[in-house]
Amino acid sequence: GIIAAIAIPNLLNAINRGRQKRSMSDMRTVGTATEAYAVDQSFYPGLPAAQLVTTDNYVQSLQPTYVKNVPVNDGWRQQFWVESSSRFYTILSSGRDKVVEANLSSTAYNNRQTGHMDCDIVYSNGSFISFPEGIQTD
């Protein structure tokens, strides 16, 4: 019982950290494909703030030329949120709590490192502007 009381919370924390890292990796993949598209087309594919689905023009613009399959779900099986215009793009994962904290163009996300497991993860124009850092707490 004592070993289980110690091991189970550590296991759950490790699983959630893995989901964060997977989400960040998938967001980087979509961002890299978006950047490659912009190099060829001189603009980013357009999409008003919406959840990413495989039938979006945004996704169809990127696959299969720039990425074989565009990941549309984060590590918690929630759809990524994307906003894109000709000059910028933003990709958001709502994190473990599955609640979006602010709109995609909010400056509340700028260069925000957080140790909270429920934080939104935001990737914009080639870099993370809101991301988990250090020891994660519940």
Side-chain angles (χ1 to χ4, degrees):
I2 294 170
I3 293 172
I6 294 169
I8 290 174
N10 289 337
L11 174 65
L12 295 175
N13 195 14
I15 289 170
N16 280 317
R17 279 195 319 265
R19 288 178 176 162
Q20 282 179 331
K21 298 303 179 192
R22 178 191 160 211
S23 298
M24 292 175 73
S25 175
D26 287 347
M27 293 166 81
R28 244 186 240 110
T29 298
V30 175
T32 301
T34 302
E35 295 287 344
Y37 176 92
V39 167
D40 288 347
Q41 305 296 325
S42 299
F43 58 88
Y44 296 121
L47 181 69
Q51 288 184 302
L52 197 58
V53 293
T54 56
T55 56
D56 284 337
N57 287 335
Y58 188 87
V59 171
Q60 298 303 317
S61 297
L62 301 180
Q63 69 183 27
T65 305
Y66 303 102
V67 64
K68 184 175 182 179
N69 291 309
V70 173
V72 295
N73 293 326
D74 64 12
W76 294 273
R77 297 185 182 139
Q78 297 296 306
Q79 291 172 302
F80 288 117
W81 286 85
V82 174
E83 182 176 14
S84 179
S85 71
S86 63
R87 302 265 182 237
F88 77 93
Y89 68 93
T90 302
I91 306 162
L92 180 139
S93 167
S94 57
R96 183 182 68 174
D97 66 353
K98 302 173 184 169
V99 175
V100 176
E101 297 169 17
N103 66 28
L104 290 173
S105 57
S106 173
T107 57
Y109 290 125
N110 289 347
N111 297 319
R112 185 180 76 158
Q113 299 176 15
T114 180
H116 198 283
M117 190 66 77
D118 291 334
C119 77
D120 289 353
I121 304 169
V122 183
Y123 188 80
S124 183
N125 296 333
S127 64
F128 285 97
I129 60 172
S130 177
F131 53 94
E133 186 69 25
I135 297 172
Q136 302 294 293
T137 61
D138 282 332

